[in-house]
Amino acid sequence: MAAFERIDAGFDLWRDGEGTCALIVVQEIFGVNAFIQQNAAFFAANGFNVAAPDLFWRDEQQLALGPDQADRARALMASYDWVAGMQDIAATVKHMKAEGADQVFLLGYCMGGAVAALAAAECDVTAAVGYYGVRVLERLNGRVPKAPLLMHLAEQDSHVPPEQQGALKQAFADKAHIRILSHPGQEHAFCRPNGPAYDEKAAALAHAATLSWFEMHGAGA
């Protein structure tokens, strides 16, 4: 397969990699941009068949914004239909399984971090990882993820302040299949290269923990 190509799935879906172990990478608010493409290449190199659905395809297809277009991205997020969006995630899982995936993992960043928690609650994913997910408990609305879920929190995250981080830890303290990993001194989007909060060492540690989480739950077995 050519690196990062669009496939026909009835909505905007991009792919990279091969094999039967699938991974859905869910965007930040900026669409399927260079950062998501870099992620696809990274995880494809680690043995995953990667899919990256465009959450905003109903408003504008093939959207790839930069951080300097944050106002436009926030407007798209504000009008985002979460119910329809989760249907897209479920359709992506179904598509990957129809193509031969025996396991489907999922990870997401920021907005996608909340999608990861919802996917663990609603969709047929093997395990999920959310990076600095925003408004996770609000989006779950009392539901508890049933699939194994790892959440990376940035301790200095202004988008997920300490009281929200504390509420997350309290809500899932007795859930053995949910793990919360705090990253001291880190700010929101510390895994996004070339961003003001990027920390190469912290990002590498987070990605290593993510790969370990997936391996713990059957990836590569």
Side-chain angles (χ1 to χ4, degrees), residues 1-31:
M1 174 181 290
F4 213 71
E5 62 182 9
R6 188 179 185 277
I7 60 173
D8 184 7
F11 57 97
D12 236 18
L13 185 65
W14 300 80
R15 286 270 300 279
D16 195 353
E18 298 177 340
T20 60
C21 190
L23 173 65
I24 300 171
V25 176
V26 186
Q27 64 177 68
E28 302 173 297
I29 63 174
F30 301 109

Side-chain angles (χ1 to χ4, degrees), residues 29-71:
I29 63 174
F30 301 109
V32 184
N33 61 5
F35 171 57
I36 298 303
Q37 295 180 39
Q38 290 168 5
N39 270 262
F42 172 82
F43 287 102
N46 279 276
F48 290 93
N49 186 357
V50 183
D54 181 355
L55 300 185
F56 298 144
W57 70 276
R58 290 177 176 83
D59 294 307
E60 183 177 342
Q61 294 196 4
Q62 302 187 35
L63 193 69
L65 304 177
D68 59 333
Q69 296 170 290
D71 288 344

Side-chain angles (χ1 to χ4, degrees), residues 92-203:
T92 304
V93 173
K94 183 177 180 180
H95 184 93
M96 301 303 280
K97 289 191 172 184
E99 289 202 339
D102 50 17
Q103 296 170 305
V104 180
F105 298 86
L106 183 144
L107 68 85
Y109 299 88
C110 183
M111 178 183 181
V115 171
L118 281 171
E122 298 180 8
C123 300
D124 188 19
V125 296
T126 306
V129 176
Y131 287 74
Y132 31 84
V134 176
R135 297 165 65 184
V136 169
L137 289 178
E138 178 183 338
R139 297 300 181 193
L140 284 171
N141 193 27
R143 288 164 293 182
V144 176
K146 58 183 184 290
L149 173 65
L150 170 65
M151 287 184 278
H152 294 286
L153 298 182
E155 287 192 354
Q156 305 302 315
D157 193 336
S158 60
H159 297 281
V160 189
E163 60 271 20
Q164 291 184 21
Q165 296 190 29
L168 274 170
K169 293 174 182 177
Q170 183 176 1
F172 303 123
D174 63 342
K175 307 300 180 187
H177 68 294
I178 299 176
R179 182 186 177 196
I180 296 177
L181 185 60
S182 294
H183 296 268
Q186 299 306 313
E187 299 178 3
H188 191 77
F190 69 87
C191 287
R192 188 201 307 142
N194 302 320
Y198 180 59
D199 186 306
E200 183 177 6
K201 182 177 179 181

